[in-house]
Short mmCIF file of all heavy atoms in Angstrom, two decimals:
data_model
loop_
_atom_site.label_atom_id
_atom_site.label_comp_id
_atom_site.label_asym_id
_atom_site.label_seq_id
_atom_site.Cartn_x
_atom_site.Cartn_y
_atom_site.Cartn_z
N SER B 207 -8.14 15.42 -20.57
CA SER B 207 -7.88 14.78 -19.29
C SER B 207 -7.68 15.80 -18.16
O SER B 207 -7.66 15.42 -16.98
CB SER B 207 -6.63 13.90 -19.36
OG SER B 207 -5.51 14.65 -19.78
N ASP B 208 -7.56 17.07 -18.49
CA ASP B 208 -7.47 18.12 -17.46
C ASP B 208 -8.86 18.50 -16.94
O ASP B 208 -8.97 19.27 -15.98
CB ASP B 208 -6.80 19.38 -18.02
CG ASP B 208 -5.34 19.15 -18.38
OD1 ASP B 208 -4.66 18.38 -17.68
OD2 ASP B 208 -4.89 19.75 -19.38
N SER B 209 -9.90 18.01 -17.57
CA SER B 209 -11.27 18.33 -17.15
C SER B 209 -11.50 17.80 -15.74
O SER B 209 -11.43 16.58 -15.51
CB SER B 209 -12.29 17.73 -18.12
OG SER B 209 -12.13 18.27 -19.42
N ALA B 210 -11.75 18.69 -14.81
CA ALA B 210 -11.88 18.34 -13.40
C ALA B 210 -12.29 19.61 -12.65
O ALA B 210 -12.38 20.69 -13.23
CB ALA B 210 -10.56 17.81 -12.84
N THR B 211 -12.50 19.46 -11.36
CA THR B 211 -12.70 20.62 -10.49
C THR B 211 -11.37 20.96 -9.84
O THR B 211 -10.68 20.08 -9.33
CB THR B 211 -13.76 20.33 -9.42
OG1 THR B 211 -15.02 20.10 -10.06
CG2 THR B 211 -13.90 21.51 -8.46
N TYR B 212 -11.01 22.24 -9.88
CA TYR B 212 -9.75 22.70 -9.32
C TYR B 212 -10.04 23.48 -8.04
O TYR B 212 -10.76 24.48 -8.05
CB TYR B 212 -8.98 23.53 -10.33
CG TYR B 212 -8.44 22.65 -11.44
CD1 TYR B 212 -9.27 22.24 -12.48
CD2 TYR B 212 -7.13 22.18 -11.41
CE1 TYR B 212 -8.80 21.39 -13.48
CE2 TYR B 212 -6.65 21.34 -12.40
CZ TYR B 212 -7.50 20.95 -13.43
OH TYR B 212 -7.03 20.10 -14.41
N LEU B 213 -9.47 23.01 -6.95
CA LEU B 213 -9.68 23.61 -5.63
C LEU B 213 -8.47 24.45 -5.25
O LEU B 213 -7.33 23.99 -5.34
CB LEU B 213 -9.87 22.52 -4.56
CG LEU B 213 -10.96 21.48 -4.81
CD1 LEU B 213 -10.94 20.43 -3.70
CD2 LEU B 213 -12.32 22.13 -4.87
N CYS B 214 -8.74 25.65 -4.80
CA CYS B 214 -7.71 26.55 -4.28
C CYS B 214 -7.79 26.51 -2.76
O CYS B 214 -8.90 26.51 -2.19
CB CYS B 214 -7.98 27.95 -4.80
SG CYS B 214 -6.93 29.25 -4.14
N ALA B 215 -6.65 26.44 -2.09
CA ALA B 215 -6.64 26.40 -0.63
C ALA B 215 -5.58 27.34 -0.10
O ALA B 215 -4.46 27.37 -0.61
CB ALA B 215 -6.39 24.98 -0.13
N GLY B 216 -5.94 28.10 0.92
CA GLY B 216 -5.01 29.01 1.57
C GLY B 216 -4.53 28.44 2.89
O GLY B 216 -5.32 27.84 3.64
N HIS B 217 -3.25 28.61 3.15
CA HIS B 217 -2.67 28.09 4.39
C HIS B 217 -2.53 29.24 5.38
O HIS B 217 -1.95 30.28 5.06
CB HIS B 217 -1.30 27.49 4.09
CG HIS B 217 -0.60 26.93 5.28
ND1 HIS B 217 0.27 27.67 6.05
CD2 HIS B 217 -0.64 25.70 5.82
CE1 HIS B 217 0.73 26.91 7.02
NE2 HIS B 217 0.20 25.71 6.91
N TYR B 218 -3.07 29.05 6.58
CA TYR B 218 -3.06 30.12 7.56
C TYR B 218 -2.14 29.84 8.73
O TYR B 218 -2.19 30.49 9.76
CB TYR B 218 -4.49 30.41 8.03
CG TYR B 218 -5.27 31.08 6.93
CD1 TYR B 218 -5.95 30.34 5.97
CD2 TYR B 218 -5.28 32.47 6.81
CE1 TYR B 218 -6.63 30.95 4.94
CE2 TYR B 218 -5.97 33.09 5.78
CZ TYR B 218 -6.63 32.33 4.86
OH TYR B 218 -7.30 32.94 3.83
N GLY B 219 -1.24 28.88 8.58
CA GLY B 219 -0.23 28.65 9.59
C GLY B 219 -0.81 28.25 10.93
O GLY B 219 -1.78 27.51 10.99
N GLY B 220 -0.23 28.74 11.97
CA GLY B 220 -0.70 28.40 13.30
C GLY B 220 -0.24 27.02 13.70
O GLY B 220 0.60 26.40 13.06
N ALA B 221 -0.87 26.50 14.74
CA ALA B 221 -0.44 25.24 15.32
C ALA B 221 -1.12 24.03 14.68
O ALA B 221 -0.84 22.90 15.08
CB ALA B 221 -0.72 25.24 16.82
N THR B 222 -2.01 24.25 13.73
CA THR B 222 -2.78 23.12 13.21
C THR B 222 -2.68 22.95 11.70
O THR B 222 -3.36 22.12 11.14
CB THR B 222 -4.27 23.26 13.58
OG1 THR B 222 -4.79 24.46 12.99
CG2 THR B 222 -4.46 23.31 15.08
N ASN B 223 -1.80 23.72 11.02
CA ASN B 223 -1.61 23.54 9.58
C ASN B 223 -2.94 23.63 8.84
O ASN B 223 -3.21 22.88 7.92
CB ASN B 223 -0.96 22.18 9.30
CG ASN B 223 -0.34 22.10 7.93
OD1 ASN B 223 0.19 23.07 7.42
ND2 ASN B 223 -0.43 20.93 7.31
N LYS B 224 -3.77 24.58 9.24
CA LYS B 224 -5.13 24.65 8.72
C LYS B 224 -5.17 25.21 7.31
O LYS B 224 -4.53 26.20 6.99
CB LYS B 224 -5.98 25.53 9.64
CG LYS B 224 -7.46 25.51 9.34
CD LYS B 224 -8.25 26.18 10.46
CE LYS B 224 -9.74 26.05 10.22
NZ LYS B 224 -10.52 26.59 11.37
N LEU B 225 -5.93 24.55 6.44
CA LEU B 225 -6.18 25.03 5.09
C LEU B 225 -7.63 25.50 5.00
O LEU B 225 -8.53 24.85 5.53
CB LEU B 225 -5.96 23.92 4.06
CG LEU B 225 -4.54 23.37 3.91
CD1 LEU B 225 -4.51 22.31 2.80
CD2 LEU B 225 -3.55 24.47 3.61
#
Side-chain angles (χ1 to χ4, degrees):
Chain B
S207 57
D208 294 325
S209 298
T211 296
Y212 289 80
L213 306 176
C214 174
H217 180 268
Y218 289 87
T222 61
N223 198 35
K224 189 169 185 174
L225 295 182

